Amino acid sequence: MKNASQIDDWNGATGARWVDNQERLDRILAPYGDAALDAAAARAGEAVLDIGCGAGGTTLALAESVQPGGRVVGIDISEPLIVRARERAAAVGLPIDFRLEDASRAPLPAAAFDLLFSRFGVMFFDAPSAAFRHMRTALKPGGRLAFICWRSAAENDWAKLPIAALRGIVPIPDSDPNTPGPYAFGNRARLEGILAEAGFTDIAIQPFDAPLIYGVGASRKAALDDALDYMMQIGPVPRLLADKPEDMRAKAIAAVREALASRLGEAGVVIDGAAWVVTGRNP
C-alpha cells in the first residue's frame, strides 16, 4: 500500500506524541502556519482542502476565513490527530468535514475546491508527483495551491543541532534527503519539477525563515527544561534514542541539553527554522 510506513508511524508513536504536544506545536509553528495562510489568501465562500491537516489548527483558521458561505475539508492519515481535530472543531462550533484518509489516493470530488492548502503535510508521499496530480483533479480550473514545507536538514537547527550533539554517542544512520519525510522538498529544483510534472502552473517557491521558540518558562532553567522535553518527543531525537540502553540515553540527553543551552536567550530557547512557501495554480 502506498505510504504504508508513514501511515503506520502517524497512527503509532509519532501521532500520539503530536496529539500530546498539540498546543505546543501550534505555538511553535505559528509563524510558519501564518505565512502559508497569508499566501493562500482564502476568501469568503471558497471551498478549501487542508492536506495533512493534523490536529486541525490551520483547518480552523481556514474555516473562519471562508465564512460566510465557504466550506473546509481536512484530511489526514493519523486517526489520533483527526480525533483531536474533530474535538477542537466541535468545541468552537465550526462545521468542518475531517476525513481519515490518504490524500494521495483518497477518492476526491472532481473540480470541487478553490484551494489546496497544507502546513507541513505534503512531504510524506511515496510518489509525490502522482500524489499532487491526483490532488490537482480536486481543484477547480484556475484553483490555487498553497503550502509550506521545510527546506533541507542542514538549514534547520531543529534537525541539525540534535544530530550534531548525538554524533559519536548513538549511531546516526545515513539518510536520503529525497525519501518521504520532513526534508523531502528541501531541494527547490526537485520540488518545482514535482509540481510541474503534476500539472501545476504559475509555480512560485519562496524561502521563509522564522525562529522556533522551543522552550519557554518562568526562569532560564524552566525554559531549558521545556525545550529538552519537547525535543525528546518531537523531531529526530526520539527515533535515534529508541531502544537504546539507559547509560547511552543518559549521555545523549545530557549532550542535547547542552546543545539547547547554547540557544538559550531572553525569549527562551530559540531554534532557527527554514522553509519554503509554495504557491501554484491549476490551469
mmCIF file of all heavy atoms in Angstrom, residues 39-85:
data_model
loop_
_atom_site.group_PDB
_atom_site.id
_atom_site.type_symbol
_atom_site.label_atom_id
_atom_site.label_comp_id
_atom_site.label_asym_id
_atom_site.label_seq_id
_atom_site.Cartn_x
_atom_site.Cartn_y
_atom_site.Cartn_z
ATOM 1 N N ALA A 39 -0.217 33.336 2.197
ATOM 2 C CA ALA A 39 -0.009 33.011 0.782
ATOM 3 C C ALA A 39 -1.270 32.429 0.151
ATOM 4 O O ALA A 39 -1.553 32.665 -1.022
ATOM 5 C CB ALA A 39 1.151 32.029 0.633
ATOM 6 N N ALA A 40 -2.019 31.676 0.948
ATOM 7 C CA ALA A 40 -3.249 31.047 0.439
ATOM 8 C C ALA A 40 -4.345 32.066 0.201
ATOM 9 O O ALA A 40 -5.126 31.948 -0.746
ATOM 10 C CB ALA A 40 -3.720 29.989 1.422
ATOM 11 N N ALA A 41 -4.444 33.058 1.083
ATOM 12 C CA ALA A 41 -5.448 34.129 0.957
ATOM 13 C C ALA A 41 -6.849 33.571 0.732
ATOM 14 O O ALA A 41 -7.546 33.956 -0.214
ATOM 15 C CB ALA A 41 -5.059 35.091 -0.167
ATOM 16 N N ALA A 42 -7.276 32.655 1.600
ATOM 17 C CA ALA A 42 -8.626 32.086 1.491
ATOM 18 C C ALA A 42 -9.672 33.182 1.673
ATOM 19 O O ALA A 42 -9.518 34.070 2.517
ATOM 20 C CB ALA A 42 -8.812 30.997 2.534
ATOM 21 N N ARG A 43 -10.737 33.101 0.884
ATOM 22 C CA ARG A 43 -11.749 34.149 0.876
ATOM 23 C C ARG A 43 -13.131 33.575 1.195
ATOM 24 O O ARG A 43 -13.378 32.374 1.039
ATOM 25 C CB ARG A 43 -11.782 34.836 -0.488
ATOM 26 C CG ARG A 43 -10.473 35.503 -0.866
ATOM 27 C CD ARG A 43 -10.582 36.213 -2.206
ATOM 28 N NE ARG A 43 -10.686 35.270 -3.324
ATOM 29 C CZ ARG A 43 -9.648 34.784 -3.984
ATOM 30 N NH1 ARG A 43 -8.410 35.092 -3.616
ATOM 31 N NH2 ARG A 43 -9.830 33.964 -5.005
ATOM 32 N N ALA A 44 -14.011 34.455 1.607
ATOM 33 C CA ALA A 44 -15.383 34.057 1.928
ATOM 34 C C ALA A 44 -16.010 33.336 0.747
ATOM 35 O O ALA A 44 -15.851 33.740 -0.408
ATOM 36 C CB ALA A 44 -16.216 35.287 2.292
ATOM 37 N N GLY A 45 -16.694 32.244 1.051
ATOM 38 C CA GLY A 45 -17.410 31.485 0.046
ATOM 39 C C GLY A 45 -16.596 30.412 -0.646
ATOM 40 O O GLY A 45 -17.148 29.628 -1.428
ATOM 41 N N GLU A 46 -15.295 30.325 -0.365
ATOM 42 C CA GLU A 46 -14.461 29.351 -1.056
ATOM 43 C C GLU A 46 -14.536 27.975 -0.399
ATOM 44 O O GLU A 46 -14.839 27.833 0.789
ATOM 45 C CB GLU A 46 -13.005 29.826 -1.089
ATOM 46 C CG GLU A 46 -12.776 30.999 -2.023
ATOM 47 C CD GLU A 46 -11.312 31.275 -2.261
ATOM 48 O OE1 GLU A 46 -10.517 31.180 -1.299
ATOM 49 O OE2 GLU A 46 -10.951 31.600 -3.416
ATOM 50 N N ALA A 47 -14.205 26.966 -1.202
ATOM 51 C CA ALA A 47 -14.081 25.591 -0.723
ATOM 52 C C ALA A 47 -12.599 25.249 -0.658
ATOM 53 O O ALA A 47 -11.868 25.459 -1.629
ATOM 54 C CB ALA A 47 -14.808 24.627 -1.650
ATOM 55 N N VAL A 48 -12.163 24.725 0.494
ATOM 56 C CA VAL A 48 -10.735 24.501 0.737
ATOM 57 C C VAL A 48 -10.516 23.066 1.207
ATOM 58 O O VAL A 48 -11.268 22.548 2.037
ATOM 59 C CB VAL A 48 -10.192 25.475 1.803
ATOM 60 C CG1 VAL A 48 -8.687 25.272 1.999
ATOM 61 C CG2 VAL A 48 -10.504 26.919 1.427
ATOM 62 N N LEU A 49 -9.432 22.448 0.713
ATOM 63 C CA LEU A 49 -8.985 21.149 1.192
ATOM 64 C C LEU A 49 -7.665 21.349 1.921
ATOM 65 O O LEU A 49 -6.679 21.803 1.338
ATOM 66 C CB LEU A 49 -8.799 20.168 0.033
ATOM 67 C CG LEU A 49 -8.296 18.765 0.405
ATOM 68 C CD1 LEU A 49 -9.311 18.038 1.284
ATOM 69 C CD2 LEU A 49 -7.993 17.942 -0.851
ATOM 70 N N ASP A 50 -7.624 21.030 3.227
ATOM 71 C CA ASP A 50 -6.426 21.139 4.049
ATOM 72 C C ASP A 50 -5.778 19.757 4.107
ATOM 73 O O ASP A 50 -6.290 18.841 4.751
ATOM 74 C CB ASP A 50 -6.788 21.640 5.451
ATOM 75 C CG ASP A 50 -5.560 21.984 6.289
ATOM 76 O OD1 ASP A 50 -4.438 21.789 5.799
ATOM 77 O OD2 ASP A 50 -5.741 22.436 7.430
ATOM 78 N N ILE A 51 -4.632 19.612 3.434
ATOM 79 C CA ILE A 51 -3.964 18.318 3.261
ATOM 80 C C ILE A 51 -2.989 18.084 4.405
ATOM 81 O O ILE A 51 -2.155 18.926 4.700
ATOM 82 C CB ILE A 51 -3.220 18.294 1.913
ATOM 83 C CG1 ILE A 51 -4.188 18.583 0.758
ATOM 84 C CG2 ILE A 51 -2.508 16.965 1.708
ATOM 85 C CD1 ILE A 51 -3.507 19.112 -0.478
ATOM 86 N N GLY A 52 -3.081 16.911 5.024
ATOM 87 C CA GLY A 52 -2.251 16.648 6.188
ATOM 88 C C GLY A 52 -2.597 17.611 7.305
ATOM 89 O O GLY A 52 -1.728 18.220 7.913
ATOM 90 N N CYS A 53 -3.877 17.720 7.585
ATOM 91 C CA CYS A 53 -4.389 18.770 8.472
ATOM 92 C C CYS A 53 -3.997 18.579 9.926
ATOM 93 O O CYS A 53 -4.117 19.487 10.743
ATOM 94 C CB CYS A 53 -5.908 18.862 8.360
ATOM 95 S SG CYS A 53 -6.788 17.382 8.934
ATOM 96 N N GLY A 54 -3.524 17.371 10.278
ATOM 97 C CA GLY A 54 -3.112 17.131 11.657
ATOM 98 C C GLY A 54 -4.231 17.365 12.643
ATOM 99 O O GLY A 54 -5.374 16.955 12.431
ATOM 100 N N ALA A 55 -3.904 18.072 13.728
ATOM 101 C CA ALA A 55 -4.891 18.327 14.780
ATOM 102 C C ALA A 55 -5.804 19.498 14.470
ATOM 103 O O ALA A 55 -6.580 19.923 15.326
ATOM 104 C CB ALA A 55 -4.179 18.557 16.112
ATOM 105 N N GLY A 56 -5.723 20.035 13.257
ATOM 106 C CA GLY A 56 -6.730 20.972 12.788
ATOM 107 C C GLY A 56 -6.484 22.439 13.055
ATOM 108 O O GLY A 56 -7.377 23.259 12.818
ATOM 109 N N GLY A 57 -5.282 22.826 13.479
ATOM 110 C CA GLY A 57 -5.037 24.234 13.757
ATOM 111 C C GLY A 57 -5.253 25.121 12.550
ATOM 112 O O GLY A 57 -5.972 26.134 12.624
ATOM 113 N N THR A 58 -4.659 24.772 11.402
ATOM 114 C CA THR A 58 -4.848 25.587 10.205
ATOM 115 C C THR A 58 -6.241 25.399 9.617
ATOM 116 O O THR A 58 -6.785 26.324 9.012
ATOM 117 C CB THR A 58 -3.792 25.244 9.141
ATOM 118 O OG1 THR A 58 -3.799 23.828 8.895
ATOM 119 C CG2 THR A 58 -2.411 25.661 9.601
ATOM 120 N N THR A 59 -6.816 24.237 9.814
ATOM 121 C CA THR A 59 -8.168 23.987 9.293
ATOM 122 C C THR A 59 -9.172 24.917 9.960
ATOM 123 O O THR A 59 -10.083 25.454 9.297
ATOM 124 C CB THR A 59 -8.581 22.523 9.522
ATOM 125 O OG1 THR A 59 -7.443 21.681 9.461
ATOM 126 C CG2 THR A 59 -9.596 22.079 8.487
ATOM 127 N N LEU A 60 -9.024 25.114 11.254
ATOM 128 C CA LEU A 60 -9.906 26.035 11.975
ATOM 129 C C LEU A 60 -9.742 27.458 11.446
ATOM 130 O O LEU A 60 -10.734 28.179 11.244
ATOM 131 C CB LEU A 60 -9.592 25.994 13.468
ATOM 132 C CG LEU A 60 -9.842 24.669 14.194
ATOM 133 C CD1 LEU A 60 -9.353 24.761 15.640
ATOM 134 C CD2 LEU A 60 -11.307 24.286 14.164
ATOM 135 N N ALA A 61 -8.500 27.875 11.205
ATOM 136 C CA ALA A 61 -8.261 29.220 10.687
ATOM 137 C C ALA A 61 -8.851 29.386 9.296
ATOM 138 O O ALA A 61 -9.453 30.424 8.977
ATOM 139 C CB ALA A 61 -6.752 29.501 10.663
ATOM 140 N N LEU A 62 -8.703 28.360 8.448
ATOM 141 C CA LEU A 62 -9.283 28.422 7.110
ATOM 142 C C LEU A 62 -10.802 28.488 7.159
ATOM 143 O O LEU A 62 -11.432 29.230 6.396
ATOM 144 C CB LEU A 62 -8.836 27.195 6.303
ATOM 145 C CG LEU A 62 -7.365 27.158 5.892
ATOM 146 C CD1 LEU A 62 -6.966 25.754 5.468
ATOM 147 C CD2 LEU A 62 -7.091 28.155 4.763
ATOM 148 N N ALA A 63 -11.403 27.710 8.065
ATOM 149 C CA ALA A 63 -12.864 27.697 8.176
ATOM 150 C C ALA A 63 -13.403 29.069 8.545
ATOM 151 O O ALA A 63 -14.479 29.479 8.073
ATOM 152 C CB ALA A 63 -13.295 26.659 9.205
ATOM 153 N N GLU A 64 -12.685 29.791 9.376
ATOM 154 C CA GLU A 64 -13.105 31.150 9.721
ATOM 155 C C GLU A 64 -12.948 32.093 8.529
ATOM 156 O O GLU A 64 -13.787 32.955 8.291
ATOM 157 C CB GLU A 64 -12.300 31.657 10.913
ATOM 158 C CG GLU A 64 -12.604 30.922 12.214
ATOM 159 C CD GLU A 64 -11.771 31.422 13.376
ATOM 160 O OE1 GLU A 64 -10.877 32.262 13.135
ATOM 161 O OE2 GLU A 64 -12.015 30.980 14.513
ATOM 162 N N SER A 65 -11.879 31.905 7.751
ATOM 163 C CA SER A 65 -11.604 32.796 6.625
ATOM 164 C C SER A 65 -12.628 32.671 5.507
ATOM 165 O O SER A 65 -12.874 33.644 4.789
ATOM 166 C CB SER A 65 -10.207 32.513 6.062
ATOM 167 O OG SER A 65 -9.208 32.799 7.003
ATOM 168 N N VAL A 66 -13.206 31.486 5.327
ATOM 169 C CA VAL A 66 -14.126 31.289 4.191
ATOM 170 C C VAL A 66 -15.582 31.546 4.550
ATOM 171 O O VAL A 66 -16.470 31.359 3.710
ATOM 172 C CB VAL A 66 -13.972 29.871 3.597
ATOM 173 C CG1 VAL A 66 -12.556 29.643 3.118
ATOM 174 C CG2 VAL A 66 -14.394 28.795 4.595
ATOM 175 N N GLN A 67 -15.823 31.977 5.778
ATOM 176 C CA GLN A 67 -17.184 32.350 6.141
ATOM 177 C C GLN A 67 -17.461 33.801 5.735
ATOM 178 O O GLN A 67 -16.579 34.641 5.771
ATOM 179 C CB GLN A 67 -17.398 32.165 7.643
ATOM 180 C CG GLN A 67 -17.254 30.749 8.129
ATOM 181 C CD GLN A 67 -18.138 29.770 7.377
ATOM 182 O OE1 GLN A 67 -19.329 30.034 7.155
ATOM 183 N NE2 GLN A 67 -17.555 28.658 6.963
ATOM 184 N N PRO A 68 -18.711 34.086 5.337
ATOM 185 C CA PRO A 68 -19.838 33.157 5.214
ATOM 186 C C PRO A 68 -19.817 32.412 3.886
ATOM 187 O O PRO A 68 -19.253 32.874 2.910
ATOM 188 C CB PRO A 68 -21.042 34.096 5.280
ATOM 189 C CG PRO A 68 -20.540 35.375 4.681
ATOM 190 C CD PRO A 68 -19.087 35.482 5.085
ATOM 191 N N GLY A 69 -20.441 31.260 3.916
ATOM 192 C CA GLY A 69 -20.721 30.529 2.691
ATOM 193 C C GLY A 69 -19.682 29.549 2.233
ATOM 194 O O GLY A 69 -19.925 28.798 1.290
ATOM 195 N N GLY A 70 -18.507 29.527 2.869
ATOM 196 C CA GLY A 70 -17.472 28.608 2.430
ATOM 197 C C GLY A 70 -17.508 27.294 3.180
ATOM 198 O O GLY A 70 -18.290 27.104 4.106
ATOM 199 N N ARG A 71 -16.625 26.374 2.788
ATOM 200 C CA ARG A 71 -16.542 25.088 3.476
ATOM 201 C C ARG A 71 -15.096 24.594 3.429
ATOM 202 O O ARG A 71 -14.347 24.915 2.503
ATOM 203 C CB ARG A 71 -17.465 24.044 2.851
ATOM 204 C CG ARG A 71 -17.123 23.661 1.424
ATOM 205 C CD ARG A 71 -18.136 22.706 0.818
ATOM 206 N NE ARG A 71 -17.776 22.316 -0.539
ATOM 207 C CZ ARG A 71 -17.024 21.260 -0.847
ATOM 208 N NH1 ARG A 71 -16.569 20.487 0.120
ATOM 209 N NH2 ARG A 71 -16.738 20.965 -2.090
ATOM 210 N N VAL A 72 -14.714 23.835 4.433
ATOM 211 C CA VAL A 72 -13.354 23.325 4.529
ATOM 212 C C VAL A 72 -13.405 21.832 4.841
ATOM 213 O O VAL A 72 -14.170 21.389 5.703
ATOM 214 C CB VAL A 72 -12.546 24.051 5.619
ATOM 215 C CG1 VAL A 72 -11.143 23.461 5.730
ATOM 216 C CG2 VAL A 72 -12.463 25.541 5.316
ATOM 217 N N VAL A 73 -12.579 21.072 4.140
ATOM 218 C CA VAL A 73 -12.368 19.653 4.404
ATOM 219 C C VAL A 73 -10.921 19.480 4.863
ATOM 220 O O VAL A 73 -9.997 19.950 4.206
ATOM 221 C CB VAL A 73 -12.636 18.791 3.157
ATOM 222 C CG1 VAL A 73 -12.305 17.325 3.436
ATOM 223 C CG2 VAL A 73 -14.076 18.947 2.693
ATOM 224 N N GLY A 74 -10.733 18.819 5.996
ATOM 225 C CA GLY A 74 -9.395 18.480 6.470
ATOM 226 C C GLY A 74 -9.161 16.992 6.312
ATOM 227 O O GLY A 74 -10.020 16.191 6.686
ATOM 228 N N ILE A 75 -8.025 16.621 5.751
ATOM 229 C CA ILE A 75 -7.748 15.210 5.501
ATOM 230 C C ILE A 75 -6.375 14.857 6.062
ATOM 231 O O ILE A 75 -5.411 15.617 5.924
ATOM 232 C CB ILE A 75 -7.836 14.907 3.985
ATOM 233 C CG1 ILE A 75 -7.729 13.406 3.709
ATOM 234 C CG2 ILE A 75 -6.809 15.685 3.193
ATOM 235 C CD1 ILE A 75 -8.119 13.026 2.276
ATOM 236 N N ASP A 76 -6.290 13.704 6.737
ATOM 237 C CA ASP A 76 -5.032 13.284 7.342
ATOM 238 C C ASP A 76 -5.051 11.765 7.509
ATOM 239 O O ASP A 76 -6.119 11.152 7.638
ATOM 240 C CB ASP A 76 -4.836 13.955 8.701
ATOM 241 C CG ASP A 76 -3.374 13.970 9.136
ATOM 242 O OD1 ASP A 76 -2.873 12.933 9.611
ATOM 243 O OD2 ASP A 76 -2.723 15.021 9.001
ATOM 244 N N ILE A 77 -3.838 11.175 7.539
ATOM 245 C CA ILE A 77 -3.723 9.724 7.684
ATOM 246 C C ILE A 77 -3.716 9.279 9.143
ATOM 247 O O ILE A 77 -3.779 8.086 9.424
ATOM 248 C CB ILE A 77 -2.448 9.194 7.007
ATOM 249 C CG1 ILE A 77 -1.197 9.841 7.604
ATOM 250 C CG2 ILE A 77 -2.506 9.399 5.504
ATOM 251 C CD1 ILE A 77 0.114 9.272 7.092
ATOM 252 N N SER A 78 -3.621 10.238 10.087
ATOM 253 C CA SER A 78 -3.469 9.902 11.501
ATOM 254 C C SER A 78 -4.799 9.962 12.236
ATOM 255 O O SER A 78 -5.374 11.046 12.413
ATOM 256 C CB SER A 78 -2.476 10.859 12.168
ATOM 257 O OG SER A 78 -2.440 10.652 13.556
ATOM 258 N N GLU A 79 -5.274 8.804 12.681
ATOM 259 C CA GLU A 79 -6.535 8.792 13.425
ATOM 260 C C GLU A 79 -6.449 9.585 14.728
ATOM 261 O O GLU A 79 -7.382 10.337 15.045
ATOM 262 C CB GLU A 79 -6.979 7.354 13.705
ATOM 263 C CG GLU A 79 -8.337 7.278 14.386
ATOM 264 C CD GLU A 79 -8.869 5.866 14.486
ATOM 265 O OE1 GLU A 79 -8.106 4.916 14.207
ATOM 266 O OE2 GLU A 79 -10.058 5.714 14.848
ATOM 267 N N PRO A 80 -5.365 9.468 15.520
ATOM 268 C CA PRO A 80 -5.307 10.268 16.747
ATOM 269 C C PRO A 80 -5.404 11.768 16.482
ATOM 270 O O PRO A 80 -6.074 12.497 17.234
ATOM 271 C CB PRO A 80 -3.949 9.902 17.356
ATOM 272 C CG PRO A 80 -3.617 8.571 16.783
ATOM 273 C CD PRO A 80 -4.200 8.558 15.414
ATOM 274 N N LEU A 81 -4.770 12.236 15.424
ATOM 275 C CA LEU A 81 -4.823 13.663 15.123
ATOM 276 C C LEU A 81 -6.190 14.085 14.597
ATOM 277 O O LEU A 81 -6.688 15.163 14.928
ATOM 278 C CB LEU A 81 -3.724 14.027 14.124
ATOM 279 C CG LEU A 81 -2.310 14.019 14.710
ATOM 280 C CD1 LEU A 81 -1.260 14.100 13.605
ATOM 281 C CD2 LEU A 81 -2.125 15.166 15.688
ATOM 282 N N ILE A 82 -6.822 13.244 13.786
ATOM 283 C CA ILE A 82 -8.163 13.563 13.290
ATOM 284 C C ILE A 82 -9.167 13.609 14.441
ATOM 285 O O ILE A 82 -10.046 14.482 14.492
ATOM 286 C CB ILE A 82 -8.603 12.541 12.217
ATOM 287 C CG1 ILE A 82 -7.871 12.824 10.893
ATOM 288 C CG2 ILE A 82 -10.105 12.579 12.001
ATOM 289 C CD1 ILE A 82 -8.313 14.095 10.182
ATOM 290 N N VAL A 83 -9.035 12.704 15.387
ATOM 291 C CA VAL A 83 -9.917 12.733 16.562
ATOM 292 C C VAL A 83 -9.763 14.053 17.296
ATOM 293 O O VAL A 83 -10.763 14.699 17.678
ATOM 294 C CB VAL A 83 -9.625 11.538 17.491
ATOM 295 C CG1 VAL A 83 -10.330 11.710 18.831
ATOM 296 C CG2 VAL A 83 -10.066 10.241 16.834
ATOM 297 N N ARG A 84 -8.519 14.488 17.513
ATOM 298 C CA ARG A 84 -8.304 15.768 18.194
ATOM 299 C C ARG A 84 -8.861 16.934 17.371
ATOM 300 O O ARG A 84 -9.471 17.857 17.918
ATOM 301 C CB ARG A 84 -6.811 15.968 18.451
ATOM 302 C CG ARG A 84 -6.425 17.344 19.023
ATOM 303 C CD ARG A 84 -7.114 17.654 20.360
ATOM 304 N NE ARG A 84 -6.772 16.716 21.374
ATOM 305 C CZ ARG A 84 -5.698 16.815 22.163
ATOM 306 N NH1 ARG A 84 -4.855 17.821 22.018
ATOM 307 N NH2 ARG A 84 -5.477 15.903 23.093
ATOM 308 N N ALA A 85 -8.674 16.901 16.058
ATOM 309 C CA ALA A 85 -9.185 17.967 15.197
ATOM 310 C C ALA A 85 -10.706 18.069 15.292
ATOM 311 O O ALA A 85 -11.262 19.171 15.377
ATOM 312 C CB ALA A 85 -8.751 17.722 13.751
#
